[in-house]
Amino acid sequence: MMPEISILMPVRNAEVHIEEAINSILGQSFKDFELIIIDYGSTDKTLNIASSYIDSRISLIKNMSDYIKSLNRGIL
């Protein structure tokens, strides 16, 4: 069964804020969602931080395109 809500989070070099952003989403009282994190070319520790989460609601996509193409990939 598909979740009620899909959250797209495009990220690039977001190591300073990504942990806080992910924790905020996971901490919501509403639980029927999926979080799709699309990294579009980070050169910092963003991917390491995002991939450290073990939660079946989180998907991580590596995309070497720009912001808009990354969003489009997330909705496919």
Side-chain angles (χ1 to χ4, degrees), residues 7-27:
I7 303 164
L8 297 178
M9 179 188 288
V11 295
R12 183 167 185 257
N13 295 332
E15 71 178 320
V16 174
H17 301 289
I18 191 167
E19 187 174 3
E20 181 180 1
I22 293 171
N23 289 340
S24 176
I25 292 167
L26 295 177

Side-chain angles (χ1 to χ4, degrees), residues 4-5 33 70 72:
E4 190 171 344
I5 294 176
F33 65 85
S70 294
N72 286 334

Side-chain angles (χ1 to χ4, degrees), residues 56-67:
S56 62
R57 298 171 294 178
I58 298 176
S59 298
L60 178 59
I61 299 171
K62 298 176 195 175
N63 192 39
M64 296 307 290
S65 235
D66 63 25
Y67 177 78

